[in-house]
Amino acid sequence: MPVCPNCASCKTLKNGRIHNRKQRFKCRECGRQFVEHSPKKVIDLGTRELIDQLLLSRMSLARIARATQVSEPGQKTT
């Protein structure tokens, strides 16, 4: 079984599948659900705070995405 990315616990169990048939797991310790080897990029807290500040300053999503090098929601990354 894979290790939880949140708390590094080995106490995980299978918890169904996602839309593309990849196995989903759930941690018994912290309750987090995750997919092993997920292609999603995790955005760190500092970048999230910067994005929030730029949104409050009414900057466009496309410009924020370019400035922070984070893709827009719903945009496919290849």
Side-chain angles (χ1 to χ4, degrees):
M1 295 302 254
V3 176
C4 176
N6 192 41
C7 67
S9 171
C10 294
K11 296 180 181 178
T12 58
L13 55 107
K14 290 182 179 182
N15 191 30
R17 294 190 179 270
I18 62 172
H19 63 92
N20 61 0
R21 302 180 61 141
K22 285 190 176 183
Q23 183 69 53
R24 182 172 44 199
F25 297 93
K26 185 173 183 179
C27 178
R28 290 183 189 175
E29 297 286 325
C30 67
R32 176 170 176 183
Q33 295 184 22
F34 63 95
V35 176
E36 190 175 29
H37 307 298
S38 175
K40 287 193 174 189
K41 179 182 172 185
V42 177
I43 302 171
D44 63 89
L45 185 61
T47 304
R48 285 177 185 241
E49 289 174 354
L50 174 62
I51 290 170
D52 287 342
Q53 289 174 357
L54 294 174
L55 283 169
L56 288 173
S57 68
R58 302 183 57 85
M59 187 180 283
S60 71
L61 286 178
R63 193 164 177 196
I64 292 171
R66 280 193 306 271
T68 58
Q69 298 179 347
V70 175
S71 63
E72 293 182 59
Q75 182 181 15
K76 290 186 176 181
T77 55
T78 55

